[in-house]
Amino acid sequence: MASVIEAAWTYLITHFSDFQLACVGSFFLHETVFFLSGLPFIYIERAGWLKKYKIQAKNNTTEAQEKCVTRLLLYHLCVNLPVMLASYPVFSFMGMRSSLPLPSWKVISTQILFYFIVEDFIFYWGHRILHTKWLYKHVHSVHHEYATPFGLTSEYAHPAEILFLGFATIFGPAITGPHLITLWLWMVVRVLETVEAHCGYHFPWSPSNFLPLYGGSDFHDYHHRIVYTKSGNYASTFVYMDWIFGTDHGYRKLKELKNEEVAEFKEN
């Protein structure tokens, strides 16, 4: 497997420049992973499949779904791509490289874990700020147009929010100057994580059932369906920031009530 990956990487760095790979390559990788992982949830919801795993009974209209996809394509081309182009000099200055040898899996996994922790911390505080009255009304309310989220709504946001919270995602890599393959893997797992958190379904195989500190779809869906002044659950990936700063009380209380109802049902 290692030799196959190295051979494929050799082909890439032989035929494309660092700039092409880091900017255009990253953009196409992001779009591919994002839409391939997010689009199925639109069709699952439309077809009414897997209803027993759906967190909210309400469905989005076809018009609302199409609006989301159209806006996303516009935002990705007009905001995300220019940011990738503009940030290349920073990553390059900080030591990002694409040359061989590739980093070890130990280095890659350690850096990605660090990026998750840093991103979650910055995202938590940035997200709380976006829930202040003025910023919510003029910026963050765009993201909350979808009280019943589906996978693609994870990146549906005001351009200012894309820049503001996008900083959380790129800060870790920007200060460490990773190998490009590490940056790509970080982008892939981060996209998959945020799509899962917004998917609107809680499956038996959902990561939150196996990872104690992981929030996931059930955790974030609560944030979308509660009025913005009381929603809480501001963190992007983990649950400990909201637990430490007491912004998950409503969610925890709701979970306790549901567990009590389930226990009473089993007894009867």
Side-chain angles (χ1 to χ4, degrees), residues 31-58:
E31 297 304 286
T32 301
V33 174
F34 178 69
F35 284 104
L36 284 181
S37 62
L39 279 172
F41 290 106
I42 286 182
Y43 299 107
I44 290 172
E45 186 178 78
R46 286 184 185 179
W49 298 334
L50 303 172
K51 275 189 175 180
K52 66 178 181 178
Y53 301 122
K54 198 169 188 305
I55 299 170
Q56 297 187 51
K58 180 183 175 183

Side-chain angles (χ1 to χ4, degrees), residues 131-249:
H131 273 262
T132 54
K133 188 174 181 179
W134 191 91
L135 283 173
Y136 184 88
K137 179 180 179 181
H138 296 283
V139 178
H140 194 49
S141 59
V142 173
H143 182 64
H144 279 269
E145 287 177 17
Y146 293 90
T148 306
F150 53 94
L152 294 182
T153 59
S154 57
E155 294 192 4
Y156 180 87
H158 190 286
E161 179 175 345
I162 295 172
L163 295 173
F164 186 49
L165 293 184
F167 172 77
T169 301
I170 68 172
F171 182 76
I175 64 173
T176 58
H179 193 281
L180 182 59
I181 198 170
T182 304
L183 182 64
W184 279 4
L185 287 171
W186 159 238
M187 183 169 60
V188 168
V189 293
R190 176 70 180 109
V191 167
L192 293 176
E193 180 275 321
T194 192
V195 167
E196 191 276 332
H198 288 82
C199 74
Y201 292 82
H202 184 69
F203 301 111
W205 56 86
S206 292
S208 57
N209 292 328
F210 308 100
L211 303 174
L213 296 178
Y214 182 79
S217 56
D218 187 61
F219 184 80
H220 193 70
D221 199 277
Y222 175 86
H223 175 81
H224 271 265
R225 67 180 184 268
I226 303 298
V227 63
Y228 83 94
T229 55
K230 300 178 181 179
S231 58
N233 291 17
Y234 297 116
S236 61
T237 304
F238 305 114
V239 299
Y240 60 83
M241 288 292 292
D242 284 281
W243 178 76
I244 291 171
F245 294 101
T247 48
D248 64 348
H249 289 165

Side-chain angles (χ1 to χ4, degrees), residues 11-191:
Y11 176 85
L12 289 175
I13 62 177
T14 302
H15 291 80
F16 302 97
S17 68
D18 282 359
F19 177 80
Q20 290 172 326
L21 290 172
C23 299
V24 182
S26 296
F27 180 75
F28 278 108
L29 178 63
H30 172 273
E31 297 304 286
T32 301
V33 174
F34 178 69
F35 284 104
L36 284 181
S37 62
L39 279 172
F41 290 106
I42 286 182
Y43 299 107
I44 290 172
E45 186 178 78
R46 286 184 185 179
W49 298 334
L50 303 172
K51 275 189 175 180
K52 66 178 181 178
Y53 301 122
K54 198 169 188 305
I55 299 170
Q56 297 187 51
K58 180 183 175 183
N59 287 336
N60 292 283
T61 65
T62 300
E63 293 75 16
Q65 292 172 335
E66 291 175 350
K67 174 189 174 184
C68 178
V69 173
T70 303
R71 292 282 183 89
L72 281 170
L73 291 171
L74 176 65
Y75 293 158
H76 285 183
L77 285 170
C78 298
V79 181
N80 292 27
L81 181 56
V83 167
M84 289 181 179
L85 295 172
S87 61
Y88 174 75
V90 176
F91 282 93
S92 181
F93 176 78
M94 294 302 294
M96 185 184 72
R97 64 181 181 87
S98 62
S99 58
L100 294 172
L102 297 175
S104 67
W105 285 109
K106 181 179 180 180
V107 170
I108 292 173
S109 58
T110 300
Q111 288 184 326
I112 289 178
L113 177 60
F114 172 71
Y115 299 158
F116 264 119
I117 293 171
V118 170
E119 190 277 339
D120 197 64
F121 179 85
I122 297 174
F123 187 99
Y124 175 85
W125 291 109
H127 196 184
R128 281 193 69 170
I129 292 171
L130 286 173
H131 273 262
T132 54
K133 188 174 181 179
W134 191 91
L135 283 173
Y136 184 88
K137 179 180 179 181
H138 296 283
V139 178
H140 194 49
S141 59
V142 173
H143 182 64
H144 279 269
E145 287 177 17
Y146 293 90
T148 306
F150 53 94
L152 294 182
T153 59
S154 57
E155 294 192 4
Y156 180 87
H158 190 286
E161 179 175 345
I162 295 172
L163 295 173
F164 186 49
L165 293 184
F167 172 77
T169 301
I170 68 172
F171 182 76
I175 64 173
T176 58
H179 193 281
L180 182 59
I181 198 170
T182 304
L183 182 64
W184 279 4
L185 287 171
W186 159 238
M187 183 169 60
V188 168
V189 293
R190 176 70 180 109
V191 167

